[in-house]
Amino acid sequence: MTEIREFKVIDTDNIVRTDKYLSAQMPDFSRSEIQKFNITRKDGRAVKMSEKIRVGDEFVVEIPAVQTDIATENISTDFNLDILFEDDDIIVVNKPRGVVMYPSAGNKTGTLVQNILAHTHLSTLGGEVRPGVVHRLDKDTSGVMVFAKSDAAFRELVKTFSEHDLTRKYIAFVWGIPNWEEADITGNIARSSRNRQKMTMVKSGGKPAHTEATVMNAWSHAGVSQMRCKLFTGRTHQIRVHLSAHGFPVLCDPLYGRGSAKLGSVKDADLLDFLKSHDGQMLHAEVLEFKHPITNNMMKFKAKMPDDMMELKYILEEM
């Protein structure tokens, strides 16, 4: 079913092009996806994405239903859902490590969305592949996630995340012992030109990113620290990129962890065995706090660390 969204330019701020304006209004879609939509002005005139916007401009966007060979009927129950909260509008779950968010070419079954669909319905506004999805966690990042069950909740949650009107805190085990207890890390993030799977900090371009890192524990004999990271923006791989760029890569991170260069310094047999047997970053979305999209009540959810991160902490404390 085609979805219609309408936008009226109230303030141009620093945005001058139509494509950038529409991307800011629809953060649940990539710019390449938006360029495929049927976009007109309110009076029916065609729109060029490179055109400059003006205050008062009105746009009508037709978003076609997602066509895919992976239908939402392909639900599955490959793992037990850890449901933290559920009502008629939202469902909050603790995502396991190693689980993909939604179906893709290489992952057609066993995804988090499919398991939720085996339990309940989700808003169709995210499309057939991504129903109810308003934010994402990487495959090997565990923790608290909220999904929209009603269309009204979907719209409000998308707005909440795009405006960063919520609190997100993560736990990370990292290489290195900082000489500070708390640090504000800022720096624009963009996709790497050398490796399209990676993101990188850039001096110009990209998107602004802000992470607050606090040291929770430090094991100097192992050269490892435990940090709590608070996100003020939500860029792809933000914590992993920011910490790695500042010399504190997340343990077991295959993209940014630089693990092979660090393993030689590990003397403890149990820690070395753990690090060699894990290939998913030691990162967990611990806290998610936001206003309920319908009732407007403040809600706070906290998920305990997964077993492997608990095991890692035990090893470090026993060394």
Side-chain angles (χ1 to χ4, degrees):
M1 182 177 178
T2 299
E3 178 191 354
I4 304 295
R5 298 190 191 182
E6 297 185 6
F7 304 100
K8 183 174 182 178
V9 179
I10 304 299
D11 190 345
T12 58
D13 290 329
N14 296 322
I15 301 175
V16 294
R17 286 170 53 108
T18 299
D19 55 353
K20 292 185 177 181
Y21 169 76
L22 292 174
S23 293
Q25 305 309 307
M26 297 185 289
D28 44 323
F29 296 103
S30 67
R31 193 177 301 182
S32 61
E33 288 177 311
I34 292 172
Q35 289 174 343
K36 298 176 184 177
F37 299 158
N38 182 26
I39 303 172
T40 62
R41 295 186 180 274
K42 193 69 177 289
D43 58 10
R45 288 184 295 139
V47 172
K48 291 183 178 179
M49 300 301 276
S50 60
E51 287 180 331
K52 293 183 178 180
I53 61 170
R54 296 181 175 84
V55 173
D57 283 349
E58 296 183 77
F59 301 99
V60 178
V61 180
E62 294 184 22
I63 304 172
V66 176
Q67 299 298 319
T68 175
D69 60 347
I70 309 172
T72 54
E73 284 78 8
N74 290 336
I75 59 177
S76 58
T77 53
D78 298 271
F79 53 89
N80 293 325
L81 283 177
D82 184 1
I83 300 174
L84 306 180
F85 175 83
E86 183 178 10
D87 62 12
D88 291 339
D89 297 291
I90 64 173
I91 180 170
V92 182
V93 301
N94 180 15
K95 175 191 172 295
R97 182 187 312 286
V99 172
V100 176
M101 283 286 301
Y102 42 76
S104 62
N107 298 278
K108 295 191 176 184
T109 60
T111 68
L112 183 58
V113 161
Q114 289 169 315
N115 259 47
I116 294 176
L117 287 171
H119 166 76
T120 187
H121 67 276
L122 292 170
S123 168
T124 60
L125 293 187
E128 291 185 22
V129 174
R130 299 180 292 184
V133 176
V134 295
H135 68 127
R136 300 168 181 80
L137 289 179
D138 298 329
K139 173 185 176 182
D140 289 318
T141 299
S142 57
V144 187
M145 296 205 67
V146 58
F147 292 82
K149 293 176 62 175
S150 69
D151 291 352
F154 182 90
R155 295 186 182 94
E156 287 301 314
L157 285 173
V158 166
K159 182 179 179 182
T160 295
F161 278 87
S162 65
E163 295 178 351
H164 312 299
D165 186 21
L166 73 167
T167 298
R168 285 177 286 181
K169 296 180 181 179
Y170 290 66
I171 299 294
F173 287 87
V174 305
W175 291 107
I177 309 295
N179 58 4
W180 42 262
E181 294 183 359
E182 184 175 297
D184 263 334
I185 302 175
T186 58
N188 286 22
I189 291 177
R191 191 164 297 281
S192 170
S193 59
R194 296 181 179 180
N195 183 347
R196 302 303 292 173
Q197 291 184 324
K198 297 180 67 173
M199 308 299 288
T200 186
M201 288 183 62
V202 292
K203 294 182 179 180
S204 61
K207 295 181 179 180
H210 179 190
T211 305
E212 179 185 272
T214 303
V215 179
M216 300 173 64
N217 292 291
W219 297 273
S220 57
H221 53 287
V224 173
S225 300
Q226 180 185 8
M227 294 185 181
R228 176 173 283 116
C229 298
K230 182 177 180 181
L231 290 183
F232 293 92
T233 51
R235 309 307 178 201
T236 301
H237 300 174
Q238 178 174 321
I239 292 174
R240 299 162 66 189
V241 172
H242 269 175
L243 292 181
S244 180
H246 284 75
F248 304 101
V250 178
L251 265 65
C252 305
D253 187 337
L255 278 180
Y256 310 98
R258 294 174 286 188
S260 59
K262 300 285 187 178
L263 290 180
S265 64
V266 178
K267 305 303 181 184
D268 183 83
D270 289 337
L271 178 58
L272 185 61
D273 181 66
F274 180 94
L275 295 174
K276 285 184 175 180
S277 63
H278 283 71
D279 59 0
Q281 62 271 5
M282 295 290 101
L283 183 63
H284 173 69
E286 180 192 33
V287 173
L288 183 63
E289 186 174 3
F290 59 95
K291 287 183 179 180
H292 190 286
I294 304 303
T295 68
N296 215 35
N297 293 331
M298 283 302 302
M299 310 193 79
K300 182 177 181 179
F301 301 98
K302 185 175 182 179
K304 66 178 184 179
M305 289 192 300
D307 291 343
D308 57 354
M309 289 180 70
M310 294 292 289
E311 179 187 355
L312 173 60
K313 186 176 182 182
Y314 175 80
I315 292 171
L316 290 166
E317 291 177 339
E318 292 298 306
M319 286 176 59

